[in-house]
Amino acid sequence: MRRLPGALAMALALAGCAGPPLSTYTVSLPPSQAAEAPLGQAPKVIAVSRIVLQSDMDGTDMILRDGSVLRRSLTGRWGSRLSVGMTDRLTERLAARYPRAVVTTTPLTDAPTVSIRVTVGRFDIDTAGN
């Protein structure tokens, strides 16, 4: 019985050491409420390849730049791998902009009408969130 209060105090002390709550961020918005337009006989096909990012930035960890030092955020994470989230967002925007076309990230057997490939050379978030 003497050990119970000590064990309880130790458990509460460890719980008090927990860090700030983790926030998860995404790069997409809710789907648009616009009415879908008919595609027609032979719709244009826009193929979007996965966006290529620096390997140190392409993950679920949010990396912040502090001058010339890159630091992992203690309180923020991306909801999905950053390149996947950016590719999904680009695909959503293109589909909204070109409603009469098929916009896809799925590999195709035939050549698409338009093929989009994006390489991001630098993507930085500073400690102020810019």
Side-chain angles (χ1 to χ4, degrees):
M1 287 303 268
R2 289 185 203 177
R3 294 183 183 165
L4 183 61
L8 185 59
M10 181 71 98
L12 290 174
L14 286 174
C17 293
L22 180 67
S23 298
T24 303
Y25 298 90
T26 63
V27 290
S28 61
L29 297 175
S32 68
Q33 302 299 324
E36 293 186 19
L39 292 176
Q41 295 277 342
K44 291 184 178 182
V45 177
I46 301 172
V48 180
S49 297
R50 186 188 226 178
I51 292 177
V52 177
L53 285 169
Q54 302 162 236
S55 61
D56 58 339
M57 299 300 289
D58 191 21
T60 57
D61 289 337
M62 191 173 285
I63 307 297
L64 305 174
R65 180 173 292 278
D66 185 8
S68 61
V69 177
L70 296 177
R71 300 185 192 279
R72 180 182 299 157
S73 173
L74 300 176
T75 58
R77 299 285 180 270
W78 293 113
S80 65
R81 190 173 187 94
L82 186 56
S83 62
V84 172
M86 291 174 78
T87 303
D88 291 345
R89 179 67 177 132
L90 176 61
T91 304
E92 291 170 5
R93 295 291 303 264
L94 289 169
R97 184 164 184 150
Y98 301 102
R100 294 184 178 263
V102 175
V103 182
T104 184
T105 58
T106 305
L108 303 170
T109 55
D110 294 332
T113 310
V114 177
S115 180
I116 297 176
R117 293 181 179 92
V118 177
T119 301
V120 178
R122 184 169 175 165
F123 183 80
D124 288 336
I125 302 169
D126 64 19
T127 53
N130 298 321

